[in-house]
Amino acid sequence: MSEATTSAADVQIPFAASVPAHRDLNVLRWVGAYTASMVGDMVFFLALSWAAVQNGTPAQAGLVTAVSAVPRALLMLGGGVVADRLGPRRVVIGSDTVRCVTVLAVAAVLFAADPGLWLLALLAVVFGTVDAVFMPAVGALPARITGKDQLARVQGMRGLAIRFAAVVGAPLGGLGVAVGGAAAAFAFAGLLIAVSVPLLISVRMRDLPADDASAARETTAWRDLVGGLRYVRRHRVLGPLMVAIALGDLGFVGPLNVGLTLLADERGWGASGMGWVLAGFGTGAGVAALLLTVRGRLPRAGCVAAGSIIPGAAAIAALAHAPGLPVAVGTAVLVGLLTGLSGAMCGALLQTQSDPAYLGRVTAVGGIVSLGIAPLSMPLSAAAIGVWGTGPVFAVSAAVCGLGGVVALCAPGVRRAELPK
C-alpha cells in the first residue's frame, strides 16, 4: 500500500516547489529533525562504546559496538521495501520513536542496576535492526518535502547536518559520560532523538503521482524487493552510478579510517595529528555541502559527480606521501572537498533520477553499498599496510576509487545526467 492511499493522518498537501529549500520552513523542520536524530546517534554510539569498555574486555567491547552493523546490512534491502510500501513518513516517525523509547529504557535500567554486556548487545542489535528501516525511509523523504529542483540543495543541507553532528555529537556524549556515566549519556541520546519526532510529525508531504500507479499493483514484499533490484540494475543512470559509488567507497573508507591511523603512527603525528587531518577532511566536506546548499544546482551534474572522484582519488594517494602534517591537513581538505562534492551530487542524482515509488529501495541499495560492502576494506587495508606499507596501499585504494569515476564517465546516462532546473 502506498503512502498516498493510507489513513487520513497521512493526507498529503501539495505546495509550491519554487521556494528555495534553505528558506522553506517545511524543509527546515525536516533538517532540524534529521540533525537532532544524527546528533543523538553520535551520543548513543559513544555511550555504547564507553559502557561496553566498562563492562567487558576490549574484544567484548569491540563485538558489542560492531554487532549493530549485522542486522543493518542484512535487513536494509527489506527496509527499503517497507519504506516504499508503507510510505517513508510513517516509517521514519515509527522507527525514530522506537529508537527513542529503546535508548531511554536502557538508560533507566542502567540508572537502577548494572545488567552487564547482554543488555548492551541487545540494544545494539535493536538499534541496528531499526536503522535498517529508518535509513531507507530517510533517503526517500526529500522528494516528498520539496520539488525536484531543490533536491540538490537538500542534499547539501543534509551534508551540513551530518558534519554538525560529527563535530558536536562526540563532545556532548563525552560530557554526558563525565556528568552521569553511560546511563546519563544514553538518556541524553534518547532525548535528542525524541526532539526529532514532533518535528517529523509536523513535516508536510507532497503528492507524488507515481505513488498512485504503484498502489494499483498488488504485489508481495518479495516481488517488490526483486523488482527494486531489477529497476536499479536496468536503469541507465542508477545502475552504473551504484557501481561507481561502490568502487569509490571501497577505495575511500580504508585509507580514511584505519589507514589514516596507521599513517599517523608511522609518521609520528600522534593522535592529535590524526585529529587535525580528520578535521581537514571534515572541513573540505563541509565546504562542499555548503556550496551545494547555497548554489542549489550545478550544471552537468553527472560529469561533476564522476569527474570529482578522480582528482579526489589522486589526493588520497598523495596523502601517504605528505612531507609533513600541515601538507597532510591541506591534502585532507582537498580530499574532503572533492569526495564530498561527488557524494552530494551522487545523492542528488539518486533522488532526482529515481521513480518515487522506488526511492526507498534505491536508497537501501546505496546504503548496502556504503555500509555493508565498503567497511570490508578496513581490515584488508590494515593487513595490507602491515605487509607493504602505507604508500602502496593508499595508491591501490586511490586506483580503486578513481576507477569508480572512470566507470561513471564511461556510462552515457551518468555522463549526460542533469539536475532539474
Side-chain angles (χ1 to χ4, degrees):
M1 180 181 293
S2 77
E3 185 177 17
T5 59
T6 53
S7 65
D10 285 324
V11 171
Q12 297 176 319
I13 304 173
F15 54 90
S18 59
V19 179
H22 60 295
R23 299 176 185 171
D24 187 338
L25 290 179
N26 195 52
V27 175
L28 292 176
R29 285 193 294 269
W30 177 80
V31 172
Y34 183 75
T35 303
S37 186
M38 290 298 100
V39 175
D41 278 2
M42 293 295 296
V43 175
F44 164 79
F45 283 111
L46 188 143
L48 182 67
S49 300
W50 180 264
V53 168
Q54 297 300 308
N55 284 274
T57 66
Q60 290 172 328
L63 183 62
V64 167
T65 55
V67 73
S68 64
V70 177
R72 187 187 299 121
L74 293 178
L75 302 176
M76 191 174 293
L77 286 176
V81 173
V82 172
D84 285 334
R85 289 177 71 89
L86 300 182
R89 179 179 184 269
R90 58 174 52 187
V91 172
V92 167
I93 293 172
S95 56
D96 227 21
T97 301
V98 171
R99 296 185 336 146
C100 171
V101 171
T102 303
V103 174
L104 289 176
V106 170
V109 171
L110 290 177
F111 272 121
D114 184 12
L117 284 174
W118 70 267
L119 179 64
L120 299 176
L122 178 61
L123 173 62
V125 170
V126 171
F127 215 80
T129 302
V130 178
D131 265 356
V133 181
F134 174 80
M135 296 177 72
V138 164
L141 268 182
R144 290 167 168 81
I145 62 175
T146 189
K148 276 195 170 186
D149 60 325
Q150 296 298 315
L151 286 176
R153 182 171 272 130
V154 171
Q155 289 299 313
M157 296 167 72
R158 185 178 179 182
L160 288 175
I162 292 172
R163 296 302 154 198
F164 177 82
V167 171
V168 173
L172 286 179
L175 178 62
V177 169
V179 171
F186 277 128
F188 191 24
L191 291 175
L192 283 167
I193 297 173
V195 169
S196 70
V197 176
L199 287 172
L200 287 170
I201 292 173
S202 70
V203 174
R204 295 178 295 116
M205 298 289 109
R206 44 180 289 131
D207 291 317
L208 294 174
D211 285 351
D212 297 331
S214 64
R217 299 193 306 266
E218 293 294 334
T219 62
T220 64
W222 175 253
R223 286 181 179 175
D224 281 352
L225 175 60
V226 174
L229 293 174
R230 186 181 298 117
Y231 172 76
V232 171
R233 179 173 59 85
R234 294 178 176 177
H235 199 284
R236 64 187 185 87
V237 176
L238 300 181
L241 194 61
M242 288 296 184
V243 175
I245 291 172
L247 290 170
D249 283 348
L250 277 171
F252 174 79
V253 170
L256 265 295
N257 285 275
V258 63
L260 181 58
T261 303
L262 296 173
L263 179 65
D265 181 65
E266 178 185 289
R267 296 298 184 87
W269 296 338
S272 63
M274 184 180 69
W276 278 108
V277 175
L278 287 174
F281 164 75
T283 300
V287 170
L290 182 61
L291 172 65
L292 203 54
T293 300
V294 173
R295 287 291 303 272
R297 181 184 183 275
L298 295 178
R300 302 184 64 81
C303 284
V304 172
S308 56
I309 295 177
I310 297 173
I316 291 174
L319 187 61
H321 302 283
L325 182 58
V327 176
V329 172
T331 305
V333 171
L334 184 60
V335 172
L337 178 63
L338 293 168
T339 58
L341 180 61
S342 175
M345 297 304 288
C346 285
L349 286 171
L350 291 180
Q351 289 284 323
T352 55
Q353 295 289 325
S354 299
D355 185 311
Y358 290 93
L359 262 175
R361 281 163 285 179
V362 170
T363 304
V365 173
I368 288 291
V369 166
S370 297
L371 300 175
I373 298 176
L376 297 176
S377 66
M378 288 193 284
L380 294 177
S381 294
I385 288 173
V387 177
W388 293 294
T390 54
V393 173
F394 270 62
V396 171
S397 296
V400 173
C401 188
L403 182 60
V406 173
V407 168
L409 287 174
C410 290
V414 177
R415 193 170 61 248
R416 298 169 186 164
E418 293 279 5
L419 295 176
K421 295 183 179 180

